[in-house]
Amino acid sequence: MKSHTTRYTFATSSRKTKIYKRSEKGGWTFKTVVEKKVRYFPLGLDRDEALKMADTIRGHLMLYPFDEVLQMFNKKAFAKIKPPAPTFGQCLAILKKHQLATGLRDSSLKGYKDSLGGFIRKVVGKKKPVDDFDMSQICDDFILKYKHVCLDGITDESKIASRKRTINSRIRQIKAMFSREKLFKEYDMTFVDDLRDAEFFTGLKTNYKLPSEDLIKSTFELWEDSTGDLRTLLGLALHFGMRRNEIFHARKPWFQMDGEKARINITSDLSFRPKGGHEGFTLGNKTVAADILNKASDDGYLIEERADSGRPLFDDALDKLRAIGWDRASPLHELRKLFGSYIASTESIYIAQKFLRHADASTTNDSYSDAIIEGDIKNLWVA
């Protein structure tokens, strides 16, 4: 996806006070720094009035505390002369309306909805409906309160680090949600500036570590003892490193069985697009592949349970994985990481990157592979 730079329009008063606006139809804004924090004052649509107001605000900030100036020149004072901020529901409706034109996937739209909705509910209350939430309420203090609520009461250092990574991920996704600014040109999007300036927690990098040998062996036993769709699902994740969405859409034509190993080509079709739009392939055990193909349905899909995007099946798999001891955030995705460790240990990081279809080998090295030293563990992949 091509990135773009917003073209701001600037104006300067006779007193050298600078104001700007983000779009032709948008309102003017005065941006200043108070106590090392960037602050924004919306000024309305009229340029001359906005310049006068900015000079007045600038003068008041020299004489009065910021909180008092904010009360004097709050957003509500300009509500009648500038476009309103959108609601949470309106933001989603705009993205949905332009989904085909922008190439936005259903999973991405759902991710935006979950991230922004969860972000708002953490601050206003979990049970409160947020469709009518006024997005202009989002500001520096709102973001700080969100972080405080997420971290409140946690004392374990590892859990704090994990929660901070979750916060970073959610804020990053919300920022991405508003990257196409032109879609929202009918609304006052001043709040996006505070989101864009939101700081991430740093020093949280972590490298992938294998689970215990007993848990790895128990996972293979679960696959071997399973039948039907569950066996297929676990086999594709464990022996081919496939993602959940890839497993659900996997079909017989993806398989090539004429080599030393079975090859699965991850290709797009009308109902499926690989993550990031990148097609690729993976190789795995031929005996496992034959077992999967023999159990496949006649319509070509490897997973027979198609209702509700296979949710009952995947939920059942997660329950069973947790029952044998998986306590990490995404147990099914952990099987993909086990496969990555096996390939990196028996082949190379480069081969593991290709099979896992990562754009960068550092992703494979840091988050998807650890060295498997024990021969009996490596032999678990030899069916």
Side-chain angles (χ1 to χ4, degrees):
M1 183 181 295
K2 294 182 179 180
S3 61
H4 67 277
T5 303
T6 302
R7 294 182 179 179
Y8 293 92
T9 301
F10 294 93
T12 305
S13 73
S14 59
R15 298 183 183 179
K16 307 300 182 183
T17 305
K18 183 180 286 188
I19 62 175
Y20 74 95
K21 63 178 180 178
R22 300 161 64 86
S23 65
E24 184 178 350
K25 296 182 180 180
W28 293 94
T29 299
F30 172 50
K31 176 181 177 181
T32 187
V33 177
V34 179
E35 298 177 351
K36 297 183 180 181
K37 287 188 177 182
V38 178
R39 303 292 187 176
Y40 300 89
F41 290 87
L43 305 171
L45 299 175
D46 185 87
R47 176 181 176 276
D48 293 337
E49 289 296 325
L51 287 171
K52 292 178 182 179
M53 186 68 70
D55 283 338
T56 304
I57 293 172
R58 184 181 175 192
H60 277 66
L61 287 171
M62 295 178 182
L63 301 173
Y64 304 101
F66 170 75
D67 289 341
E68 291 184 21
V69 178
L70 184 63
Q71 289 296 321
M72 296 179 199
F73 305 93
N74 62 72
K75 291 183 179 182
K76 292 182 180 180
F78 310 103
K80 296 182 180 180
I81 60 173
K82 70 181 184 65
T87 64
F88 170 77
Q90 287 170 331
C91 290
L92 293 178
I94 289 171
L95 291 177
K96 182 69 175 178
K97 177 182 177 181
H98 297 283
Q99 187 174 359
L100 288 177
T102 57
L104 187 65
R105 299 173 62 184
D106 287 340
S107 57
S108 297
L109 186 61
K110 183 180 184 301
Y112 291 156
K113 178 181 178 181
D114 292 345
S115 293
L116 182 57
F119 171 77
I120 295 170
R121 278 189 289 271
K122 275 290 184 180
V123 179
V124 303
K126 288 186 177 181
K127 295 183 179 180
K128 186 173 181 178
V130 295
D131 281 353
D132 294 330
F133 176 82
D134 182 354
M135 295 296 292
S136 67
Q137 296 182 52
I138 294 179
C139 58
D140 288 339
D141 289 341
F142 192 96
I143 296 169
L144 287 173
K145 185 174 181 180
Y146 165 72
K147 292 179 178 179
H148 173 75
V149 172
C150 287
L151 295 170
D152 187 41
I154 303 176
T155 56
D156 182 85
E157 289 297 328
S158 63
K159 290 184 178 179
I160 290 175
S162 177
R163 186 63 59 84
K164 285 181 176 180
R165 283 192 286 270
T166 300
I167 293 171
N168 283 353
S169 177
R170 177 162 284 176
I171 292 177
R172 187 176 293 110
Q173 192 156 28
I174 294 171
K175 288 184 178 185
M177 179 177 181
F178 296 106
S179 61
R180 299 176 176 89
E181 296 180 25
K182 292 183 178 180
L183 299 181
F184 304 92
K185 59 185 179 182
E186 296 180 3
Y187 294 96
D188 173 24
M189 301 299 288
T190 308
F191 68 90
V192 175
D193 290 323
D194 287 338
L195 282 172
R196 186 177 290 109
D197 293 339
E199 296 181 353
F200 294 113
F201 291 108
T202 59
L204 300 174
K205 184 177 179 181
T206 182
N207 291 328
Y208 172 70
K209 297 298 181 184
L210 283 167
S212 68
E213 290 184 34
D214 288 342
L215 183 54
I216 296 175
K217 291 177 180 178
S218 295
T219 303
F220 273 86
E221 290 174 1
L222 175 63
W223 162 67
E224 291 171 350
D225 294 340
S226 298
T227 59
D229 278 349
L230 180 60
R231 182 178 176 88
T232 297
L233 184 161
L234 296 174
L236 290 174
L238 197 55
H239 286 276
F240 291 91
M242 292 173 65
R243 301 180 176 95
R244 173 175 175 151
N245 201 36
E246 295 169 348
I247 293 171
F248 181 70
H249 287 93
R251 298 180 295 114
K252 285 184 177 181
W254 287 13
F255 280 70
Q256 290 182 352
M257 301 290 286
D258 50 358
E260 182 179 343
K261 291 186 177 181
R263 174 179 174 128
I264 302 180
N265 297 305
I266 314 297
T267 58
S268 301
D269 58 33
L270 292 176
S271 62
F272 168 74
R273 188 176 67 147
K275 184 176 181 180
H278 302 299
E279 297 184 338
F281 71 93
T282 181
L283 300 181
N285 189 284
K286 206 167 182 178
T287 302
V288 175
D291 177 71
I292 291 173
L293 289 174
N294 288 337
K295 292 179 172 59
S297 59
D298 293 336
D299 65 2
Y301 285 105
L302 305 182
I303 299 297
E304 292 185 359
E305 177 55 64
R306 312 302 298 169
D308 195 17
S309 298
R311 185 178 297 276
L313 170 65
F314 286 101
D315 287 348
D316 181 50
L318 292 175
D319 289 343
K320 286 182 167 56
L321 287 168
R322 293 199 184 281
I324 64 173
W326 283 102
D327 58 1
R328 300 185 183 183
S330 304
L332 187 59
H333 202 66
E334 290 296 323
L335 307 194
R336 174 173 160 82
K337 294 184 178 184
L338 283 179
F339 173 78
S341 293
Y342 169 69
I343 298 300
S345 300
T346 56
E347 302 282 350
S348 68
I349 283 289
Y350 173 77
I351 297 298
Q353 176 198 351
K354 292 301 178 184
F355 288 5
L356 293 170
R357 301 169 303 288
H358 289 151
D360 193 322
S362 63
T363 301
T364 312
N365 185 61
D366 295 343
S367 303
Y368 283 81
S369 65
D370 189 9
I372 299 178
I373 306 300
E374 299 76 9
D376 60 334
I377 297 298
K378 293 178 182 178
N379 288 336
L380 292 173
W381 276 268
V382 183

